[in-house]
Amino acid sequence: MAHEIESNDSMVSARNVTPWHGLGTVLNDDGLTAITALSAAKLNWTVEQENVFDGDMVQIEGSQLNRRSDDRTVLGIVNTGWTPVQNSELLEIAEALGQVDGESFKPVIETAGSLRGGRIVWALIQTGQRQFHGSEHKAYMLLSNGHTAGRGLRGTATDVRVVCNNTLTAAERGDSGLFLTHTSGIKDRLDSAIKLLKWGNDSLDATFAIYRALASAKINADQAVNFFASLLPPIEVQASAPRVVGEMFNLFRHGAGNEGKTAFDAVNAVTDWVDHAKGFRDDAGAGERRFLNSTMSGDGDRLKRAALKSANLMFATA
């Protein structure tokens, strides 16, 4: 199904904000508790593990099967010793991350849900907001967890440029991500995740320092065009560079919140192109699935990261 949301997936969004794909439960709450999010996003199922057998009903040693408890969907086959982090635990971690400022308890979960039939579950919490360059930027911490092999528990700091609904990935830094594998000690190591909030704020502070430098770096049309062209991979340079560069340049000059004057406008143009303008030459459903993968963790995400890093090197530190 489109958006990687299958028939047994769901999600919830707080603050009366409808998700971009128009699916899921929308609540008026300013923030959600772990219990509310678990129920509203229909995540109140667990991962159950079973033995794996071959066609002759002989048990395959060293492997186990992960299933959803509610509908028995097979989530994947993993190695023996792979330890699940249940949905309730992920949401409790997300809730705890928002309480570390010493204030009284407050609901902090903005969105939560599952993708790919429950193989990926996420929770998003807001950690603060800032005014910058004439628009509001909200700081978020995204926690995601996989219920299949190769997908651990991840923590990512991100911010949203509300004026154009773009997301910009935090500056690429050696300590800018959390990744925990599903080994037997993952439950003990989850305690360290509470420290993630401070790391996330530090990471976003560093990112906003880059933003300020980029917003002060004036660039002309030729510099913008060369910047966009430098980001494209060789195949795309040969096949569609003029079209892609032209689309990005138009967003540089006329995209939401842009004036076509600074390196910050150029970075926003790339983000706008990836998140909103990039076309996929597939049937509608496949195109939307590729869009979600691209903007969240695929080629589109890598392009946005490359744009921020390259702009910082080319313009902010010049």
Side-chain angles (χ1 to χ4, degrees), residues 191-214:
D191 290 339
S192 65
I194 299 300
K195 300 177 182 178
L196 185 64
L197 182 58
K198 181 180 184 304
W199 156 79
N201 286 334
D202 290 346
S203 179
L204 286 168
D205 285 343
T207 301
F208 272 86
I210 294 175
Y211 289 170
R212 287 189 291 272
L214 293 176

Side-chain angles (χ1 to χ4, degrees), residues 36-55:
T36 301
L38 190 72
S39 175
K42 300 179 181 178
L43 294 175
N44 44 0
W45 47 267
T46 59
V47 176
E48 298 180 344
Q49 297 185 305
E50 303 174 0
N51 294 328
V52 181
F53 299 87
D54 63 17

